[in-house]
Amino acid sequence: MALVRGGWLWRQSSILRRWKRNWFALWLDGTLGYYHDETAQDEEDRVLIQFNVRDIKIGQECHDIQPPEGRSRDGLLTVNLREGSRLHLCAETRDDAVCASTARTKTTTRWCLPTRMRPRMSAATTGRPTQAPA
């Protein structure tokens, strides 16, 4: 299965409600998995985004959780799943949280993970010429 995006996010555990850092990977089939590290070998869980996510709240919309120590409330995400459970996440910044929120239509699911983890786009993939760094 091909990896579309990968990056680190904080995840609140469901039982003890402690924050831990996990490697999140969005796979080509629309599955979001989270792992102990970026090797993506030891999967903790996975969510099929297109079918199992009801909605996502970001930042100040996440009233019922506190961010990890030293993190801003603006980076919070609450992923509400169809069966009623929630996945509480925290990104480094509000921009990363907005990017990690899902924009779904009938035919596509978009999910981008933290900015520094995004693959570079070239002229071949974007159709636009790239600029040399200044």
Side-chain angles (χ1 to χ4, degrees), residues 8-58:
W8 291 100
L9 294 171
W10 291 90
R11 179 185 61 84
Q12 189 178 54
S13 67
S14 57
I15 297 173
L16 296 177
R17 303 285 185 220
R18 292 186 181 155
W19 287 99
K20 60 189 272 188
R21 206 163 168 234
N22 286 108
W23 177 261
F24 280 77
L26 177 65
W27 301 100
L28 191 59
D29 68 355
T31 300
L32 178 70
Y34 49 96
Y35 308 86
H36 292 287
D37 60 36
E38 62 273 1
T39 63
Q41 297 298 314
D42 191 12
E43 184 177 81
E44 288 193 34
D45 203 0
R46 64 178 38 224
V47 175
L48 185 56
I49 301 276
Q50 194 168 17
F51 300 107
N52 296 333
V53 174
R54 190 178 64 214
D55 63 35
I56 296 177
K57 296 183 185 308
I58 60 169

Side-chain angles (χ1 to χ4, degrees), residues 7-128:
W8 291 100
L9 294 171
W10 291 90
R11 179 185 61 84
Q12 189 178 54
S13 67
S14 57
I15 297 173
L16 296 177
R17 303 285 185 220
R18 292 186 181 155
W19 287 99
K20 60 189 272 188
R21 206 163 168 234
N22 286 108
W23 177 261
F24 280 77
L26 177 65
W27 301 100
L28 191 59
D29 68 355
T31 300
L32 178 70
Y34 49 96
Y35 308 86
H36 292 287
D37 60 36
E38 62 273 1
T39 63
Q41 297 298 314
D42 191 12
E43 184 177 81
E44 288 193 34
D45 203 0
R46 64 178 38 224
V47 175
L48 185 56
I49 301 276
Q50 194 168 17
F51 300 107
N52 296 333
V53 174
R54 190 178 64 214
D55 63 35
I56 296 177
K57 296 183 185 308
I58 60 169
Q60 301 300 324
E61 299 173 329
C62 303
H63 302 289
D64 55 345
I65 60 168
Q66 293 298 317
E69 187 176 328
R71 301 286 176 234
S72 168
R73 181 168 203 77
D74 289 338
L76 289 173
L77 295 120
T78 298
V79 180
N80 294 304
L81 302 173
R82 292 199 188 277
E83 85 276 354
S85 67
R86 295 178 180 170
L87 183 60
H88 296 295
L89 306 173
C90 187
E92 295 292 323
T93 67
R94 176 161 177 79
D95 287 344
D96 287 346
V98 168
C99 188
S101 66
T102 304
R104 292 176 297 160
T105 66
K106 289 181 182 177
T107 58
T108 62
T109 300
R110 229 179 33 225
W111 183 286
C112 34
L113 292 169
T115 324
R116 60 195 150 287
M117 302 309 295
R118 291 187 203 151
R120 291 187 168 263
M121 298 302 237
S122 68
T125 57
T126 64
R128 290 178 268 162

